Amino acid sequence: MNKNGGVILWILSFGLMIFLFSKIDVSNQNLTKEVTPTEFKEYLTNDNLSELLFDKSVVRGKVKKSQESLMEIYTLPVTSAEFEEIRKLAVEKKVKYRTTPDMSGLWAILGSLFQILLFAGLFLWIMGRQMGKANTFGQSKAKRFQSDKDRKTFADVAGCEEAKEEVREIVEFLKNPGEFSRLGARVPKGILLYGKPGTGKTLLAKAVAGEAGVPFLSANGSKFIEMFVGVGASRVRDLFATARKLAPCVIFIDEIDAVGQKRGSAIYGSHDEGGQTLNALLEELDGFEVNAGIIVMAATNRPDVLDDALVRPGRFDRQIQVPTPDVHGRELILKVHTKDKKIDPSVDLLHIAKDTTGMVGADLENVVNEATLIATKKKKPAVDQSDFSEAVDKVSMGPMRKSIKLTEKEKKTTAYHEAGHTLVAMLTPSADRVHKVTIIPRGQALGFTKQLPEDRHSITKKELEAMVAVCVGGRAAEELAMGEITTGHSDDFKKATDILKNMINKFGMSEEVGMAVFKDKTDFFGNSAGLDASQKTKELLENVLKSKLEETYQKVKELLTKNRNKLDAIANALLEKETLELKDLDLIMKSF
Ligand code: ADP
Ligand code: ZN
């Protein structure tokens, strides 16, 4: 809360107190009854009312008759003529009448005063909360970037050449909207960027604005949805109103799925906040000319959940994938982020790129940053390869935990566990190559075996089976060497189970189950509600899963038993050196 929060809260509670007092006073008339204007006039003509109160939109009357002395009737005058009629009648019948505000009594005055304060306080408080986050209540909270510091260009975006190519014509259009309309060219209004988080969607949108030299308005879909229905919609309108003033410009809406989910699905009805916000967005998208010089770019990592209305022609009709970068892309991204850092000339960015499969731009930026910090801590003149290597481990596994003290037995267990993963991986042809193995605790893990997966777009059954084998190899080795198993590595079995489940339920890779695909059901709220299959099928799937896992475990144990001497050698080397690289492992394997 901001600094004014305390004062406002005081006003609030004081106001509330007074408000309640004034209410107690007023609530003496405990019986009220609504009547039609005609009935009301009847009461008045029959001399049944002792006093009238003209409120802004209602007329109240106190009923005279003794048995109803506590009763009050009121009516909602339909027209101002009716209002006037009642007033005239009251004058005629000499019935006292007052008009609000009711000034009788100090409490009433204070009451209404503080009622105002109360609401003002409430309003200020909400505003304060909003301001704490960003802009003003009801406004779009859009952020604007125009300053040179924030300006991004295509040179800052790497590893997604196709996406860049696709948005190039948008830049041309923004530079000169008039020229495009002269020739009648049709430029898309809305562009949907989709890809995993951190792949550079925001960056790409910024670069489009930066290249064209136009303002960049950004908003977040999830921020549109607030506690009050209608606020999101008004924010959307405000955003587009600002854009119209600034055109040509780029509007960027991050996490569009927060507003753009399929209507009628799960929790989204058409009258709730999400539905209203989406409607406002659709109206705004339809509401400007194609050549108005406004380009709306939106980002999501789940294009499949978007409402069809949103991706119709004339709206977000151009969809561009911002892919997870491949090894070449990662090298380029690393180049961008190391550009203005002090890097030792011996550093091989391609090597780091190979070492970071699966990482996206944001991760790589993080790696470079960590490497710089590590080198700074060690007071090195420049960042070298070993700093990068440590940074990669840190970003992927979490920081080293030097403080954690393992007992000798725990150390030995961990060494055998990791040696188990490593040896299974080295002995299984379809497994990913082992790159490094260590028993230095990092993040949640007591040690880890790092494999280098290829950049691939699909994966074979053999490769998946190898992954499961490598997963269970750790525990199998523990059991062989120590005669017991520990809880230290329960993640391995969860991972193995997940892979097997996908193989059986989704990829049709089990003979027993066949090719059928079993999806997870979702309940009313969009949460997973188990498998969409009959009880019998579920049992079959479960049994197949269990027997596959058991079968793999036994095979792996056999494999390790046959190669027990190698297992011992790797485990001992780990206990001695803590970390082994591929070349060390190769040496050990060759010595047998
Ligand atoms: P997204 O919007 O897809 O979640 P961002 O654009 O917010 O990702 O990326 C966060 C940061 O990561 C960027 O500011 C940039 O520094 C870095 N980054 C991500 N992708 C790339 C890329 N393709 N090239 C260079 N840097 C990138
Ligand atoms: Zn393990």
Side-chain angles (χ1 to χ4, degrees):
M1 198 184 292
N2 58 4
K3 268 188 287 176
N4 293 329
V7 181
I8 291 165
L9 215 66
W10 267 107
I11 297 179
L12 241 173
S13 29
F14 194 53
L16 185 69
M17 220 168 66
I18 303 287
F19 176 66
L20 287 177
F21 266 120
S22 67
K23 280 296 164 210
I24 292 167
D25 194 23
V26 174
S27 60
N28 266 340
Q29 314 99 6
N30 39 13
L31 272 173
T32 54
K33 182 174 140 195
E34 186 180 6
V35 296
T36 63
T38 327
E39 273 180 288
F40 196 93
K41 276 182 273 177
E42 249 165 29
Y43 266 87
L44 202 53
T45 342
N46 297 339
D47 288 323
N48 282 337
L49 298 179
S50 63
E51 204 185 325
L52 292 194
L53 173 67
F54 286 92
D55 229 321
K56 266 161 258 69
S57 53
V58 293
V59 187
R60 295 173 193 281
K62 265 199 184 128
V63 179
K64 228 195 244 169
K65 276 199 187 133
S66 56
Q67 75 268 27
E68 292 172 298
S69 62
L70 283 175
M71 193 163 121
E72 197 193 51
I73 58 166
Y74 64 95
T75 184
L76 299 162
V78 190
T79 58
S80 55
E82 228 143 15
F83 209 105
E84 190 50 30
E85 234 174 87
I86 293 174
R87 202 187 58 81
K88 268 192 189 146
L89 210 55
V91 175
E92 208 174 283
K93 288 279 170 190
K94 297 200 174 59
V95 177
K96 259 203 304 185
Y97 72 84
R98 290 182 283 124
T99 354
T100 46
D102 182 356
M103 291 297 182
S104 68
L106 184 66
W107 280 128
I109 299 173
L110 279 179
S112 35
L113 194 68
F114 279 100
Q115 240 162 297
I116 295 169
L117 268 182
L118 171 69
F119 289 115
L122 191 68
F123 189 71
L124 282 175
W125 182 60
I126 293 169
M127 289 249 302
R129 283 179 43 134
Q130 299 295 326
M131 309 247 282
K133 285 189 234 155
N135 237 308
T136 356
F137 196 61
Q139 288 191 353
S140 71
K141 291 176 161 191
K143 285 193 226 118
R144 287 156 214 187
F145 297 98
Q146 251 181 317
S147 67
D148 278 349
K149 197 175 90 222
D150 279 324
R151 190 170 164 207
K152 299 281 183 216
T153 63
F154 282 153
D156 296 309
V157 194
C160 48
E161 289 315 309
E162 282 127 347
K164 261 157 77 176
E165 213 40 63
E166 291 228 30
V167 293
R168 237 174 251 277
E169 77 169 354
I170 307 293
V171 174
E172 290 312 312
F173 165 70
L174 285 167
K175 274 185 183 161
N176 202 346
E179 183 66 9
F180 272 70
S181 52
R182 188 178 68 81
L183 296 174
R186 212 185 82 78
V187 174
K189 270 185 190 178
I191 292 157
L192 186 70
L193 301 172
Y194 66 95
K196 275 200 343 194
T199 44
K201 300 181 290 295
T202 314
L203 187 65
L204 188 63
K206 273 187 198 166
V208 167
E211 288 281 334
V214 301
F216 178 74
L217 292 164
S218 99
N220 191 306
S222 65
K223 298 265 165 65
F224 279 141
I225 311 286
E226 293 274 344
M227 52 186 159
F228 298 114
V229 174
V231 172
S234 94
R235 283 194 181 134
V236 169
R237 287 192 203 102
D238 179 68
L239 177 65
F240 279 81
T242 314
R244 268 187 216 103
K245 277 183 227 144
L246 293 175
C249 67
V250 172
I251 294 181
F252 177 68
I253 305 174
D254 205 358
E255 295 182 52
I256 183 106
D257 41 295
V259 275
Q261 291 225 1
K262 285 194 173 61
R263 281 174 296 188
S265 80
I267 37 178
Y268 285 96
S270 58
H271 295 298
D272 63 293
E273 174 68 345
Q276 283 199 13
T277 311
L278 177 55
N279 284 339
L281 182 61
L282 295 178
E283 268 169 36
E284 291 295 341
L285 277 172
D286 295 341
F288 65 85
E289 284 302 304
V290 174
N291 291 325
I294 301 173
I295 291 289
V296 188
M297 298 180 87
T300 180
N301 48 0
R302 321 179 48 193
D304 52 307
V305 302
L306 292 182
D307 198 292
D308 294 335
L310 208 54
V311 289
R312 258 190 17 206
R315 292 169 180 168
F316 289 102
D317 50 1
R318 176 88 55 100
Q319 307 196 359
I320 300 176
Q321 186 189 13
V322 183
T324 307
D326 60 8
V327 63
H328 179 62
R330 291 195 297 274
E331 190 187 1
L332 292 175
I333 295 172
L334 286 165
K335 239 179 217 151
V336 167
H337 288 284
T338 48
K339 208 172 43 197
D340 42 9
K341 301 246 160 45
K342 264 223 169 93
I343 306 292
D344 195 274
S346 68
V347 167
D348 179 2
L349 290 182
L350 180 62
H351 186 272
I352 305 165
K354 282 183 182 160
D355 203 0
T356 47
T357 319
M359 282 197 189
V360 294
D363 300 325
L364 294 167
E365 183 190 12
N366 208 353
V367 164
V368 173
N369 202 31
E370 284 296 340
T372 320
L373 287 176
I374 291 166
T376 311
K377 229 188 221 165
K378 293 182 178 161
K379 300 209 163 50
K380 290 186 187 172
V383 190
D384 65 27
Q385 197 79 30
S386 72
D387 302 325
F388 274 107
S389 164
E390 199 180 328
V392 170
D393 288 348
K394 185 167 175 191
V395 169
S396 53
M397 300 293 301
M400 253 188 221
R401 291 197 302 171
K402 292 218 176 88
S403 61
I404 186 170
K405 280 272 171 289
L406 296 180
T407 62
E408 281 309 307
K409 194 175 164 198
E410 274 174 330
K411 248 191 178 164
K412 193 173 167 198
T413 310
T414 307
Y416 268 98
H417 181 99
E418 297 309 330
H421 286 312
T422 301
L423 189 56
V424 174
M426 296 190 84
L427 295 173
T428 311
S430 308
D432 291 324
R433 219 153 41 89
V434 178
H435 168 71
K436 184 179 189 175
V437 50
T438 176
I439 56 166
I440 300 176
R442 208 178 252 289
Q444 293 297 310
L446 295 177
F448 65 91
T449 300
K450 186 164 178 192
Q451 288 168 276
L452 263 193
E454 305 288 322
D455 279 304
R456 57 186 154 209
H457 302 285
S458 67
I459 191 163
T460 65
K461 185 179 171 186
K462 273 219 169 70
E463 284 166 337
L464 286 167
E465 280 169 344
M467 280 183 193
V468 177
V470 172
C471 275
V472 301
R475 191 182 192 171
E478 267 183 63
E479 201 190 326
L480 283 182
M482 313 296 292
E484 58 186 359
I485 45 182
T486 59
T487 57
H489 307 268
S490 51
D491 261 9
D492 288 341
F493 270 75
K494 185 175 178 314
K495 196 171 148 203
T497 312
D498 285 347
I499 298 171
L500 279 173
K501 256 190 198 160
N502 278 328
M503 291 174 70
I504 299 165
N505 301 356
K506 298 225 170 81
F507 306 148
M509 285 179 175
S510 125
E511 299 83 25
E512 295 89 334
V513 177
M515 312 268 268
V517 172
F518 299 96
K519 279 195 187 143
D520 278 342
K521 263 194 304 209
T522 48
D523 66 8
F524 184 73
F525 298 106
N527 299 323
S528 169
L531 218 53
D532 195 2
S534 72
Q535 197 54 39
K536 221 173 123 195
T537 312
K538 275 187 205 167
E539 271 164 31
L540 171 69
L541 293 174
E542 227 162 71
N543 288 336
V544 173
L545 175 70
K546 267 188 205 148
S547 66
K548 274 264 184 295
L549 194 57
E550 188 60 31
E551 190 189 314
T552 312
Y553 190 67
Q554 290 310 329
K555 268 194 199 152
V556 165
K557 237 163 65 177
E558 273 166 40
L559 182 73
L560 291 177
T561 313
K562 249 194 266 162
N563 294 278
R564 181 61 197 261
N565 49 0
K566 290 176 188 148
L567 183 68
D568 290 338
I570 296 174
N572 288 331
L574 272 174
L575 282 168
E576 189 190 328
K577 290 194 194 158
E578 294 197 326
T579 302
L580 302 175
E581 306 267 343
L582 179 59
K583 55 181 190 318
D584 308 316
L585 290 166
D586 278 341
L587 273 180
I588 295 174
M589 295 298 271
K590 272 189 205 125
S591 67
F592 288 97

